[in-house]
Amino acid sequence: MKPDAKIEAEYRNLQRDGASISGEAQISSSRQGGSYTWSKASPLYDTSGQIIGAIESIHDITEHKQIEEDLRRSREKYHNIFENSIMGIYQSLQDGRYINVNPAFARLFGYDTPKELIASVTDIRLQLYVNPLDRDRAIKTLFEQGFLEGFELEVQRRDGTRFWVSMNTIIVQDEFGTHYDGTVEDITKRKDAEDALRSSEEKYRLLFENANESILVAQDSRIKFVNPKFIKVMGYSDTELKSRQFAEFVHPDDREMVVDNHLRRVRGENVPQLYAFRIIDRDGAIKWLEISSVLIVWDERPATLNFLADITERKQTEEELNRKNILLGGVAVATNILLTETDLNYAINQTLELLGRAIDADRAYIFENHELETGWYLASISHKWERNFAISEKGNPDLQDLKYHPALSRWYDVLSIGHSIKGLIQEFSESERAELEPQNIKSLLAIPIAVEGQFWGFIRLDDCHSERLWMGIEGAILQAAAASIGGAIARRHIEDELRSAKENAESATKAKSDFLANMSHEIRTPLNAIIGLSDLLQGTDLTQEQCNCVETIRRSGDSLLSVINDILDFSKVDSGKLELELRPFYLKEFVEASLNLMRPIASKKCLDLSYTIDETTPDAIMGDPGRLQQILTNLLSNAIKFTDRGTISVSISSQKLDGICHRICFQVKDTGIGIPENKMDRLFQSFTQVDSSTTRRYGGTGLGLAISKRLVEMMGGQIWAETELHKGSTFCFTILADATFIVPARIIISEKQKDNEIGKDRNQFLRILLAEDNAVNQMVMEKMLKKLGYHVDVAANGEEVLHSLELKPYDLILMDVQMPEMDGFETTRAIRRRWASADQPKIIAITAHALEGDREKCLDAGMDDYLSKPVKMADLDEMLAKYR
Ligand code: ADP
């Protein structure tokens, strides 16, 4: 109900002006279930036109009201959606303007409010579309199919930034005419994701297609997918590959392994990540592939994704490397054999076999060049190796002698300048083929051998089975082997030369030592008589004059003997035959004994002899006292010889080295004539004397110092001299020796010795047999023995000795070694064999062979002792005393 005041006013108007009034009224006070009415009051006029009342009509408008309410609500709902939707909603006109857009739409395009957008965008096509043609396309589609659904296009915001939207549109015809209603959704994110996916797919596709590795997908043992690389490796087309099982392409030898690995991988068992196998490509060539597989799902079923690397080249390199290593190993062993093996032929045969096997040839030969009378060269097999199954060329006469001319003259030219010949026979010249083909060779390698810079021959390796191409490195390695063979042959030549030179030298040395032995014997035998007989003569009654003569004879004999001894010593030292003894001795005793030896001559010249031993010097040392005495007495006798007045003094000092080793220094100082400075370098040289004039005053051979020098050196020392002319000389030498202790022997007088003491007169009871062929020596010895109180029987040779022994027993035989018929050695051996040990006589050798080794020879033959010629009475006495 309208308020009363308002109705009253309206009614007043009606009455005054005649204005109709109308209005709605809700009848019920309760809104629910209430009804609406619509009433109209119009003035009621009388005939005079005076308003006399009002005609009122009332309609029930409840239903109409209800519809109106529903519509309002629906509008409100739509408005809410429109306003709050996050999706852009628009109404646009064909001319490119918007009638209406929602806030989301405005925001999407960068406007604050829909109003702002509607005001600003006057041409959708140009202002919002990145590509204006898109709008034409959209409208065309829209009219064609009546709607647009998910139409994608790129649009731009107010600030120009671009983004992708998806559009749904319908055509609406209404009171405004034709317009488009639609929604717009920002799909930039989805688009980006799609792009990303597309580009990653593209990447993978590129990867697959351009991969350097073959990629293959296998399912149920069949090829499902391959990349172009695999197609290229195999030479088959994509369809050819896909229609077949993978295993068909695998080399038969590797097939089982590959299939087994595949099945095991599919079962989830442990299979090596990487392994290699061979395939056969469309041309039938064998290639090595290395496979790496992973399990994948392909079309919703298990499959393997396989990456295959073509490692054929690597395998070949490996193989070559392997071949090279085997060959190098073979050459190393061969070189060692060639260097160490003394049998050259054996070494070369071994080398050939090693090389042949290492290089995997069927045959290996060494051809040696020979010059023909025509001047042409010919090569013939000097060594050969043939593999068991190789076609032997043993019986092939062509091979035994291979003529360079005319067919193989190229060979001579190439090989002689150090180059090798290699290759397939089929590629050789016609004439060469004619020569080589009958030998069943398919491919060969010939390497020259040079000996001492000359082309000596060549090694030839044959391959009779395959048309083999020789690797460059094989040739190079074999050249090294050929050089070793050449070296070995050259060495053999040198060795042969050396051997014959050595044999010549040895026979010269032997001749020299034979000569020395003979000379020694020849000189000693008469000397024996001279010294022995003068010894005897001196024991007889002689006049003073005779006595002097005998003395001179005796002395001459002695000096002659010392000359011979020097020469022998020198030759022994020179030929390295001298060996040093090693035994302990007291230095003091040694020096005193040496000085005592010299005392008689020194006192004749009224020279004083003295010695000092430094207290640091060891009492006893290990060494060869005999040879040391030879050095010292040699220096002493020189000192005495070249000194007329004064003193000869010996001093010994020592320097401790490691442990017990000492360097002992001996000095022999004289006050004699001295040696001129410019002659010093001649000292110690053999056969040299400072004064070499024919009128020289002093005798000697010039050997003493040379021998001394060598002996000193053998003892690890040095010898030198210091001198001042007319004032005197000092000769020094050192030796290396170990200090030692000598346990003093207890002196026990044995039964035998006691007997000897008592039985001095019993010499006559010793039964002695003298075996000596030389009549003079026989006489000398007999006289000496007689003088010493012995009785002696004489035998002139071995036969006689044996005969005498059969007749009666002897206690002792003095056996000359050099006798005609049967010499001393042989006789001794016969005696030792023939007689029982109880009846064996003592045998003392008497020999002029004062050379090294003679003593051993005598003892070896079974003799007991040794006396060297010329035998002196004192020595003989001493020796016999031992066996009395
Ligand atoms: P020789 O048998 O001639 O003495 P050596 O080899 O013992 O041979 O000596 C060679 C030479 O050295 C002697 O001839 C002498 O000229 C010289 N000589 C050696 N010792 C002395 C010395 N003590 N005084 C002077 N000269 C010496």
Side-chain angles (χ1 to χ4, degrees):
M1 256 309 195
K2 285 188 179 177
D4 292 345
K6 197 186 171 200
I7 292 171
E8 265 170 39
E10 277 181 358
Y11 266 94
R12 263 193 310 274
N13 285 344
L14 179 96
Q15 279 167 342
R16 194 184 55 229
D17 306 328
S20 300
I21 52 168
S22 60
E24 275 180 26
Q26 193 173 17
I27 308 288
S28 161
S29 61
S30 132
R31 283 186 71 98
Q32 259 114 28
S35 56
Y36 288 88
T37 55
W38 194 81
S39 57
K40 188 175 176 180
S42 314
L44 183 67
Y45 296 97
D46 61 12
T47 49
S48 65
Q50 264 318 127
I51 296 168
I52 56 165
I55 300 162
E56 195 172 359
S57 61
I58 295 168
H59 305 277
D60 184 348
I61 57 160
T62 309
E63 199 178 329
H64 175 78
K65 255 314 203 192
Q66 192 62 49
I67 291 168
E68 227 177 40
E69 178 65 8
D70 286 352
L71 194 66
R72 191 191 56 78
R73 282 205 192 132
S74 140
R75 280 232 181 83
E76 198 175 71
K77 218 156 102 193
Y78 167 72
H79 184 74
N80 271 341
I81 293 170
F82 185 75
E83 287 297 310
N84 301 315
S85 168
I86 53 159
M87 190 178 272
I89 304 172
Y90 71 91
Q91 287 184 308
S92 67
L93 290 170
Q94 222 170 339
D95 66 0
R97 282 180 301 116
Y98 283 108
I99 309 168
N100 204 2
V101 300
N102 71 345
F105 188 93
R107 279 198 302 278
L108 207 53
F109 286 91
Y111 294 89
D112 291 337
T113 61
K115 229 170 149 185
E116 205 184 345
L117 182 140
I118 294 166
S120 309
V121 178
T122 51
D123 189 340
I124 298 173
R125 192 169 172 272
L126 293 176
Q127 282 174 274
L128 298 189
Y129 281 52
V130 169
N131 182 4
L133 289 177
D134 277 353
R135 182 158 156 96
D136 306 337
R137 196 161 54 85
I139 291 173
K140 191 174 171 242
T141 316
L142 184 58
F143 279 96
E144 268 167 20
Q145 53 182 45
F147 61 89
L148 278 184
E149 198 181 282
F151 188 85
E152 291 177 6
L153 71 153
E154 201 180 11
V155 291
Q156 56 194 5
R157 293 192 189 86
R158 189 184 198 174
D159 62 5
T161 53
R162 296 171 171 196
F163 62 105
W164 279 84
V165 292
S166 165
M167 207 160 68
N168 301 315
T169 310
I170 50 164
I171 310 167
V172 179
Q173 306 277 357
D174 61 6
E175 66 269 33
F176 302 110
T178 306
H179 62 93
Y180 313 125
D181 284 6
T183 59
V184 166
E185 192 189 351
D186 183 350
I187 55 163
T188 314
K189 276 195 188 130
R190 197 189 81 202
K191 258 300 212 214
D192 285 352
E194 274 176 14
D195 281 353
L197 190 68
R198 193 173 309 114
S199 82
S200 90
E201 268 176 9
E202 174 72 7
K203 260 188 242 158
Y204 282 119
R205 194 183 58 76
L206 283 173
L207 215 69
F208 270 72
E209 278 179 8
N210 301 317
N212 205 25
E213 260 190 339
S214 300
I215 302 173
L216 173 148
V217 175
Q219 194 169 51
D220 305 331
S221 311
R222 288 194 175 275
I223 298 172
K224 286 280 161 185
F225 171 87
V226 292
N227 72 341
K229 174 72 185 188
F230 188 68
I231 292 172
K232 200 170 150 206
V233 169
M234 299 299 293
Y236 288 103
S237 74
D238 190 38
T239 32
E240 277 174 318
L241 285 169
K242 278 186 186 158
S243 62
R244 288 162 70 176
Q245 294 216 337
F246 179 59
E248 285 180 47
F249 303 102
V250 178
H251 189 284
D253 292 353
D254 295 343
R255 202 168 284 158
E256 197 185 314
M257 183 262 295
V258 171
V259 169
D260 185 52
N261 274 351
H262 174 75
L263 294 177
R264 280 170 51 208
R265 194 184 301 284
V266 172
R267 285 200 297 267
E269 288 173 27
N270 214 4
V271 182
Q273 179 55 32
L274 269 184
Y275 61 91
F277 61 92
R278 284 159 294 174
I279 51 114
I280 299 169
D281 74 2
R282 193 186 192 135
D283 299 335
I286 295 175
K287 285 180 177 162
W288 275 96
L289 296 183
E290 190 171 56
I291 190 169
S292 147
S293 302
V294 280
L295 272 184
I296 56 161
V297 175
W298 183 270
D299 292 340
E300 285 155 28
R301 291 199 310 107
T304 53
L305 170 63
N306 306 283
F307 298 92
L308 301 143
D310 185 350
I311 55 163
T312 314
E313 231 169 84
R314 192 181 88 198
K315 277 278 177 187
Q316 267 166 6
T317 320
E318 264 174 27
E319 188 132 309
E320 278 176 20
L321 204 69
N322 200 23
R323 262 162 77 181
K324 189 177 117 183
N325 279 346
I326 292 175
L327 188 56
L328 273 177
V331 171
V333 177
T335 307
N336 191 33
I337 294 176
L338 286 169
L339 278 174
T340 53
E341 176 58 53
T342 41
D343 182 345
L344 182 66
N345 280 330
Y346 173 78
I348 293 183
N349 282 329
Q350 287 285 302
T351 300
L352 269 191
E353 173 165 357
L354 274 165
L355 294 183
R357 288 195 190 281
I359 209 164
D360 199 19
D362 290 319
R363 303 188 292 228
Y365 298 112
I366 286 186
F367 286 85
E368 184 180 349
N369 294 337
H370 302 283
E371 196 175 353
L372 293 174
E373 279 171 13
T374 55
W376 289 105
Y377 279 92
L378 174 119
S380 59
I381 292 184
S382 68
H383 300 82
K384 64 169 155 266
W385 169 79
E386 283 154 350
R387 200 190 281 279
N388 299 351
F389 56 77
I391 306 104
S392 171
E393 286 300 328
K394 263 182 209 137
N396 189 335
D398 293 344
L399 243 182
Q400 279 310 318
D401 288 331
L402 189 143
K403 290 181 205 72
Y404 286 109
H405 185 73
L408 300 177
S409 51
R410 174 181 79 102
W411 282 45
Y412 189 88
D413 297 342
V414 172
L415 293 170
S416 64
I417 55 165
H419 292 209
S420 50
I421 285 183
K422 62 178 175 182
L424 305 179
I425 300 305
Q426 63 187 37
E427 288 170 6
F428 281 29
S429 75
E430 208 172 304
S431 61
E432 288 174 346
R433 280 213 312 277
E435 192 83 12
L436 299 166
E437 265 166 1
Q439 297 172 24
N440 295 312
I441 312 168
K442 289 224 165 96
S443 173
L444 66 76
L445 174 60
I447 311 272
I449 299 175
V451 174
E452 286 157 349
Q454 296 291 315
F455 172 39
W456 177 92
F458 60 92
I459 310 176
R460 196 184 81 188
L461 294 149
D462 296 353
D463 195 318
C464 308
H465 290 89
S466 67
E467 288 179 351
R468 154 186 198 147
L469 295 173
W470 306 87
M471 297 193 296
I473 189 77
E474 288 175 329
I477 296 172
L478 286 173
Q479 292 235 330
S484 293
I485 294 175
I489 295 168
R491 237 177 1 262
R492 172 52 44 93
H493 287 174
I494 294 168
E495 272 169 24
D496 287 348
E497 278 166 21
L498 276 179
R499 190 174 306 115
S500 74
K502 185 172 164 252
E503 275 161 12
N504 287 345
E506 273 170 3
S507 70
T509 314
K510 181 147 194 312
K512 190 171 123 191
S513 83
D514 285 352
F515 166 76
L516 278 172
N518 287 339
M519 188 188 78
S520 164
H521 180 258
E522 293 311 320
I523 297 173
R524 268 161 207 270
T525 306
L527 257 182
N528 202 26
I530 296 167
I531 293 171
L533 289 176
S534 45
D535 254 8
L536 285 168
L537 265 180
Q538 276 175 327
T540 57
D541 282 343
L542 297 173
T543 64
Q544 189 54 43
E545 198 190 347
Q546 284 170 330
C547 207
N548 287 347
C549 290
V550 174
E551 174 60 22
T552 312
I553 295 170
R554 171 67 210 263
R555 258 195 287 120
S556 308
D558 277 348
S559 62
L560 185 54
L561 186 61
S562 93
V563 170
I564 294 169
N565 283 341
D566 267 2
I567 291 173
L568 275 178
D569 265 354
F570 180 77
S571 94
K572 271 193 256 179
V573 176
D574 215 32
S575 60
K577 280 186 185 155
L578 189 107
E579 273 169 31
L580 293 179
E581 235 188 316
L582 201 63
R583 63 182 178 85
F585 61 94
Y586 284 111
L587 270 174
K588 188 164 179 280
E589 278 179 12
F590 160 78
V591 187
E592 281 176 359
S594 306
L595 287 174
N596 284 341
L597 268 178
M598 292 296 138
R599 222 170 278 284
I601 1 170
S603 54
K604 266 187 202 156
K605 291 181 84 175
C606 297
L607 298 170
D608 286 338
L609 287 182
S610 70
Y611 77 91
T612 58
I613 299 182
D614 201 283
E615 56 189 20
T616 56
T617 313
D619 289 343
I621 58 165
M622 293 295 291
D624 187 333
R627 291 297 175 184
L628 196 59
Q629 190 170 64
Q630 191 178 347
I631 305 167
L632 190 58
T633 52
N634 183 30
L635 297 185
L636 281 170
S637 74
N638 277 347
I640 296 167
K641 184 156 66 171
F642 297 106
T643 304
D644 293 330
R645 264 194 307 282
T647 312
I648 316 289
S649 58
V650 175
S651 48
I652 301 175
S653 61
S654 154
Q655 181 193 357
K656 193 168 190 276
L657 302 175
D658 287 347
I660 50 168
C661 182
H662 289 256
R663 178 183 289 124
I664 297 168
C665 179
F666 298 82
Q667 267 192 17
V668 179
K669 190 170 160 54
D670 65 47
T671 50
I673 60 169
I675 302 159
E677 191 65 39
N678 59 351
K679 301 281 171 66
M680 286 294 278
D681 56 343
R682 290 208 206 158
L683 289 179
F684 310 113
Q685 287 180 13
S686 39
F687 305 107
T688 353
Q689 289 169 323
V690 171
D691 177 8
S692 52
S693 61
T694 42
T695 54
R696 64 175 201 255
R697 265 179 67 195
Y698 308 98
T701 53
L703 274 179
L705 287 180
I707 295 169
S708 299
K709 181 175 181 335
R710 283 170 168 75
L711 289 175
V712 162
E713 282 164 358
M714 283 176 79
M715 293 179 191
Q718 284 169 314
I719 186 165
W720 69 96
E722 289 153 13
T723 171
E724 214 177 318
L725 203 56
H726 309 308
K727 294 245 172 86
S729 316
T730 307
F731 278 79
C732 307
F733 69 93
T734 59
I735 59 163
L736 294 182
D738 286 347
T740 187
F741 294 100
I742 301 171
V743 182
R746 283 165 61 203
I747 299 163
I748 300 167
I749 298 177
S750 67
E751 286 299 312
K752 201 172 174 190
Q753 251 180 323
K754 268 193 242 162
D755 278 359
N756 291 350
E757 293 297 323
I758 315 158
K760 265 202 163 156
D761 301 326
R762 289 203 274 161
N763 289 356
Q764 51 195 325
F765 299 119
L766 197 68
R767 293 163 299 181
I768 300 175
L769 178 65
L770 172 71
E772 168 68 73
D773 64 311
N774 183 292
V776 178
N777 282 342
Q778 257 181 32
M779 192 255 285
V780 174
M781 285 296 281
E782 253 189 293
K783 283 192 189 295
M784 279 184 168
L785 286 163
K786 214 165 170 187
K787 190 116 205 256
L788 292 169
Y790 296 98
H791 173 76
V792 66
D793 290 337
V794 180
N797 59 46
E799 288 295 338
E800 281 188 27
V801 172
L802 297 178
H803 186 66
S804 307
L805 275 176
E806 270 162 19
L807 295 179
K808 75 178 209 204
Y810 285 93
D811 299 315
L812 195 140
I813 302 174
L814 290 167
M815 178 92 74
D816 186 18
V817 170
Q818 216 172 42
M819 287 186 296
E821 317 277 338
M822 189 190 235
D823 70 13
F825 300 128
E826 214 176 307
T827 314
T828 305
R829 277 191 285 268
I831 295 168
R832 294 302 184 221
R833 260 199 318 271
R834 241 184 255 183
W835 275 270
S837 55
D839 302 331
Q840 288 284 352
K842 295 284 176 199
I843 302 176
I844 293 163
I846 295 180
T847 172
H849 291 255
L851 293 169
E852 186 67 22
D854 281 348
R855 190 184 142 80
E856 284 68 33
K857 253 176 158 175
C858 295
L859 299 183
D860 281 354
M863 299 184 189
D864 299 281
D865 225 321
Y866 167 100
L867 267 176
S868 90
K869 278 187 189 175
V871 179
K872 293 183 190 166
M873 205 135 88
D875 296 341
L876 186 62
D877 190 24
E878 201 180 311
M879 176 65 73
L880 291 177
K882 283 207 261 179
Y883 298 99
R884 218 159 30 206

